[in-house]
Amino acid sequence: MRKLAGKLLLLLLGMLLVTILVSFTLTGFLYERLYVNSIKEELVQYGENVSLDYDGGDVSDIFVWNVEYLNEKTRFEIFAVRNPRELSACVPFEIDYNALIGSKERAQLLDGQSVIDVGYEERFKRDLVSVVVPLLDEDRLEGILYLYYPLENIQELTENYALLWVLCIFLFSMIISVIGAKGVSYVINPLLEMKDAAKNISRGDLTSRVNVSSRDEIGELAETFNKMAESLEKEDERNKEFLATVSHELRTPITYIKGYNEALQMNLGTEIERAQYFQLISRETSRLDKMVNELLDMMKLETGNFHIELEPIALAETVRQAVDSFKSFAESHGIDVLIELNEDIIVQGDEGRIHQILHNLLRNSLQYMNGSGTIQITLDDSLSREEAVLTVSDTGIGIPEEHLPFVTERFYRVNKARTRSDGGSGLGLAIVSQLVELHNGRLTITSKVNEGTTVEIRLPLIVTEDG
């Protein structure tokens, strides 16, 4: 960041230098355009005004004397001569008559136009503006008015203001430096704060945040950084919660398996009890297998390595098979399972993964039943006949409304208590959501506490020729 601050300061100093150079260039431009041009215009205007006193014919001595009188009253030098060569007696420098009035200039004078020239004069050590105004009698050039003025150079024009000029440059430089330093600090300080916060996050302090002190791009960057840090913190909390959940869920069946296995090895218990031990070991082994499979599925889904094979399937038959494998177990726990299926529904799907979706949903419904109740599965087409609508409804304990937006996130559990009876690993609905998405479908969950939950899945419908 220090390097960036140095670069910004160098940029400001460069801009200041460019500004000063431009000001000098502009001064020269203004000198040429304003001062020099104004002198030219004044000389031409003054000469043409004087030429109005010429009445034609030969240039009289009276006219020449009047011009000499005017010469003493004006800041310009002005002379009236009948022949340009007479100028040598009037001006204190040598004149190249051929250069002063050549053929081009003579044609210009005969046309009634003044001739203007700017050139360096060694006698005055500066540039000289000269103007030749014609004295015409019809189409004859009877004489000329010659006016000149030695230009002040730019240093002379500014020498009276040199101190003020230097002072202004100094003050301007100081103001630019102060504003630039504050501007650099305004840009750099939030970036330095973000750098420190990023270091804290890299060390594991996910609570680190930066202050948002503006609404510009820097402020938006700070807000984005804070949102990123907040997301990382939430993800970290979920991962910790997930690890705690998984470790607890793994520890419980492993403890059962280990304990009952040791009892079997020691020939403890009666034959009936030992048979129960085998059943418990088998049940807990199944739980472990299911959990490991869910973890593998979740990992594949998140890394994009999960593949499904879509083909036309009669969805009603697939749903019936999944429900039949679950129905007897549910009824043994006092749960009624009702199904209402449209046999004509055909979708593009992976039969095994749809089984998995239904298994997870039915298992959730059973898990969150409060005693006896009802689970209803319906399948029909939508009003537009473009989608198959599969719903799984239960009369369980329901889900609080504030939790509904998050229940399909991985590792999310409505009940944070990690017990074997009231919650899984938090992966079931997350897997269902992503499997439905892979089928180009939509998942909607509605629920009311103590009334039950309804999960609706919409899949693209394949319309048959009869449909």
Side-chain angles (χ1 to χ4, degrees):
M1 291 300 176
R2 300 300 178 191
K3 293 181 179 179
L4 179 59
K7 290 179 180 178
L8 290 175
L9 286 174
L10 285 176
L11 177 62
L12 288 172
L13 290 175
M15 292 175 63
L16 176 61
L17 180 61
V18 169
T19 302
I20 293 174
L21 291 175
V22 169
S23 67
F24 276 113
T25 303
L26 184 61
T27 300
F29 173 79
L30 293 177
Y31 168 81
E32 175 67 25
R33 287 299 180 93
L34 298 182
Y35 174 63
V36 176
N37 285 349
S38 68
I39 293 296
K40 290 179 182 178
E41 291 174 1
E42 286 186 54
L43 284 172
V44 171
Q45 184 66 42
Y46 188 73
E48 290 178 351
N49 288 340
V50 172
S51 69
L52 295 177
D53 293 334
Y54 171 63
D55 296 327
D58 294 335
V59 177
S60 64
D61 292 337
I62 296 176
F63 179 78
V64 174
W65 293 336
N66 288 337
V67 171
E68 290 178 357
Y69 174 78
L70 292 175
N71 187 43
E72 297 176 1
K73 303 298 182 180
T74 182
R75 64 190 181 112
F76 305 125
E77 299 293 332
I78 180 170
F79 304 96
V81 295
R82 300 175 183 85
N83 189 310
R85 296 185 181 278
E86 297 176 10
L87 288 175
S88 59
C90 303
V91 298
F93 54 87
E94 294 183 1
I95 294 180
D96 185 351
Y97 305 107
N98 294 326
L100 180 64
I101 305 178
S103 58
K104 179 182 177 182
E105 287 77 16
R106 185 173 184 83
Q108 188 174 339
L109 293 172
L110 288 172
D111 195 37
Q113 300 179 21
S114 300
V115 175
I116 304 171
D117 183 53
V118 179
Y120 183 77
E121 177 52 52
E122 184 66 29
R123 172 70 174 78
F124 298 109
K125 303 294 185 184
R126 65 189 64 202
D127 285 339
L128 193 77
V129 177
S130 62
V131 173
V132 178
V133 179
L135 298 176
L136 294 173
D137 183 12
E138 295 183 356
D139 57 352
R140 290 185 306 157
L141 183 64
E142 295 291 341
I144 61 170
L145 288 176
Y146 182 76
L147 301 88
Y148 73 87
Y149 183 77
L151 292 172
E152 295 182 79
N153 56 44
I154 193 168
Q155 290 82 5
E156 291 174 333
L157 287 173
T158 58
E159 65 181 0
N160 295 330
Y161 305 98
L163 181 60
L164 180 61
W165 178 259
V166 172
L167 182 61
C168 287
I169 291 178
F170 176 76
L171 290 176
F172 180 71
S173 302
M174 291 299 295
I175 292 172
I176 290 294
S177 299
V178 171
I179 294 175
K182 289 186 176 294
V184 170
S185 298
Y186 177 80
V187 173
I188 293 298
N189 288 343
L191 296 179
L192 290 173
E193 189 177 352
M194 275 184 268
K195 183 189 76 171
D196 294 337
K199 286 184 177 180
N200 292 336
I201 290 175
S202 68
R203 297 189 188 104
D205 181 12
L206 300 179
T207 61
S208 185
R209 300 289 187 274
V210 296
N211 294 322
V212 181
S213 56
S214 64
R215 294 297 177 185
D216 55 12
E217 287 80 359
I218 298 295
E220 290 177 1
L221 179 61
E223 286 183 355
T224 303
F225 181 91
N226 287 340
K227 289 178 181 178
M228 178 198 69
E230 185 178 355
S231 298
L232 289 174
E233 185 178 11
K234 288 181 179 179
E235 187 67 19
D236 184 64
E237 290 175 356
R238 289 175 188 171
N239 287 337
K240 289 178 180 178
E241 182 180 338
F242 169 73
L243 289 174
T245 300
V246 169
S247 64
H248 176 82
E249 294 294 332
L250 289 175
R251 187 184 300 113
T252 301
I254 290 174
T255 301
Y256 276 108
I257 292 170
K258 181 181 179 182
Y260 291 125
N261 184 57
E262 290 176 351
L264 289 171
Q265 288 179 342
M266 297 172 64
N267 292 320
L268 298 178
T270 64
E271 288 295 326
I272 296 176
E273 289 174 336
R274 294 177 69 185
Q276 291 176 344
Y277 295 163
F278 279 116
Q279 290 179 353
L280 289 170
I281 290 173
S282 178
R283 185 191 69 187
E284 296 305 325
T285 302
S286 296
R287 286 191 66 209
L288 282 174
D289 182 62
K290 179 185 69 177
M291 183 175 295
V292 170
N293 287 334
E294 283 186 341
L295 289 171
L296 290 174
D297 284 346
M298 197 71 233
M299 182 183 68
K300 290 178 181 178
L301 284 166
E302 291 188 346
T303 57
N305 294 323
F306 195 95
H307 301 289
I308 62 173
E309 296 182 2
L310 299 178
E311 58 183 3
I313 59 173
L315 189 54
E317 182 61 25
T318 303
V319 173
R320 186 179 291 107
Q321 291 174 3
V323 173
D324 287 346
S325 65
F326 170 83
K327 189 174 182 179
S328 59
F329 179 78
E331 289 176 346
S332 68
H333 287 76
I335 308 298
D336 294 327
V337 180
L338 307 177
I339 61 174
E340 183 180 344
L341 308 176
N342 184 337
E343 301 292 340
D344 297 328
I345 299 296
I346 299 177
V347 298
Q348 195 84 359
D350 186 314
E351 187 172 5
R353 295 309 174 183
I354 291 179
H355 266 283
Q356 184 178 359
I357 290 172
L358 285 165
H359 177 75
N360 284 356
L361 294 179
L362 293 171
R363 188 183 65 191
N364 271 5
S365 294
L366 181 61
Q367 190 171 19
Y368 291 100
M369 280 291 184
N370 191 8
S372 61
T374 302
I375 298 176
Q376 183 171 8
I377 302 96
T378 63
L379 174 64
D380 205 348
D381 54 6
S382 63
L383 293 177
S384 63
R385 300 183 63 83
E386 294 179 350
E387 294 176 313
V389 182
L390 173 64
T391 60
V392 178
S393 303
D394 63 58
T395 57
I397 61 176
I399 302 171
E401 185 178 357
E402 64 271 18
H403 291 283
L404 287 176
F406 311 106
V407 292
T408 57
E409 295 181 4
R410 63 188 179 99
F411 315 140
Y412 192 85
R413 298 177 66 196
V414 174
N415 191 335
K416 304 300 180 182
R418 294 183 296 273
T419 67
R420 298 179 66 217
S421 62
D422 64 354
S425 62
L427 292 175
L429 285 178
I431 292 174
V432 168
S433 176
Q434 296 203 41
L435 286 176
V436 170
E437 186 175 340
L438 287 175
H439 281 80
N440 300 313
R442 293 180 293 152
L443 176 71
T444 306
I445 301 175
T446 57
S447 185
K448 288 187 178 180
V449 176
N450 298 324
E451 292 186 17
T453 301
T454 298
V455 179
E456 180 184 88
I457 298 173
R458 290 177 175 260
L459 301 174
L461 187 64
I462 297 179
V463 181
T464 62
E465 293 182 1
D466 295 336

